[in-house]
Amino acid sequence: MNIVVQKYGGTSIENIEKIQNIAKKIVSKKQKGEGLVVVLSAMGKTTDELIQLAKQISPTPKSRELDLLMSTGEQISISLMSIALQELGYESIALTGFQAGIQTQGYYTKSRIQDIDIKTIKTYVQEGKIVVVAGFQGINEVGAITTLGRGGSDTTAVALAAKLECACEIYTDVDGIYTVDPRLVPTAKKLDYISYEEMLEMSSLGSGVMETRAVEMGQKYNVPIYVALSHEEWPGTYIKEYDATMESKIITGMSVSDKDLMVTLYCVPYHIKNISMIFQEISQKDINVDMISQTAPLNGVVNVSFTVPKEDENVILEIIGELQKNWTNMKADIQKDITKLSVVGIGMRSQSGVAAKMFEILAENNIEFKQVTTSEIKISYAISTKDQQKAIESIIKEFDL
Ligand code: ADP
Ligand code: ASP
Ligand code: MG
């Protein structure tokens, strides 16, 4: 039997009517004889609401309990979807991450899928049941429920497709991947195809349409991913390995993120071990550092700047406090009104001049940048949020995005 994994995001199932409509869509696929594994997010903004409930009691709830709480959102949606499918006369079964055999490891609230024992799911699919799996969750080595980080249902879906060696369809509230988030730039263009590599850069740089780890996993296991609109039949975007049939533009897309803050540490005693210690402390807390810069040593001290996710601010403040116990002259500054703009494109590998063009655009529009990083296929700039709109408009015009 040909199996397909389909994933539906929160907006697509935010109320009972939408759940019933999606159930009809699932059933029409089932009628074509496909084995179906359906992964769901929590309904609408449920995950945010659950976090808010916990925060009414404590500003810093223990992450084990927070995970247990957040995981209930997906249990609601899978149960309701399974009931809706059964009401349409189809056999289905709802499974939590644990029941589906999803084993996790690592930190609570951002754990990773270690493995999936696929036996249970396979058995139910072979029996002809539609299997509805809770996204975003699994069970760790000590038997606690953990979650995979926000947006993690995408990862559940791609991981299941990798294990089942089948394709993965991600259904959402946008009809595919655009050159830029269409909410920010309504004139953005839809892409028919995008390579894993480019999508990976775009996701990790803030294009929230696909969760980064999901794309990473798709690339590693070569899972064909199709992103499309949940409530209508309309051509979407394929994410796949780059091949010559894909249109080659220098810049494929642009990501915009206001999810990072910039930390500057002033007067860090200059020694290579000190710099490495700062970043080791941060990485031990599983915090992702993106942009890094350092001034030249002067009078035995340097200033170090880096960007980290805003959600990790409290942990960063703790780390700074610890460092200041030893480095009493060190001062820290945190800037939150930072936007990271990144242009991404495989074409940059073979064509030079993109960085020069970007510097020219920023200079012509009088936009100061605070940090720059590059890789083979992307260039990112951290700028002031007040300049975001001007920068986006001039970049999309220049690169025809
Ligand atoms: P879901 O709840 O289905 O997981 P998400 O909100 O996580 O949906 O992702 C869909 C959203 O991603 C869209 O509404 C869109 O605003 C945003 N988005 C960001 N960048 C892009 C892009 N390049 N192309 C399409 N959508 C994008
Ligand atoms: N419900 C989770 C979240 O809101 C997971 C997901 O939507 O993918 O982050
Ligand atoms: Mg999502």
Side-chain angles (χ1 to χ4, degrees), residues 7 9-11 172-174 176-178 180-183 202 207-209:
K7 179 254 166 178
T11 327
T172 181
D173 59 1
V174 60
I177 313 284
Y178 280 71
V180 198
D181 185 347
R183 272 184 223 263
M202 282 182 66
S207 296
V209 59

Side-chain angles (χ1 to χ4, degrees), residues 7 9 41 151 154 172 208-211:
K7 179 254 166 178
S41 298
D154 294 340
T172 181
V209 59
M210 276 294 291
E211 208 269 336

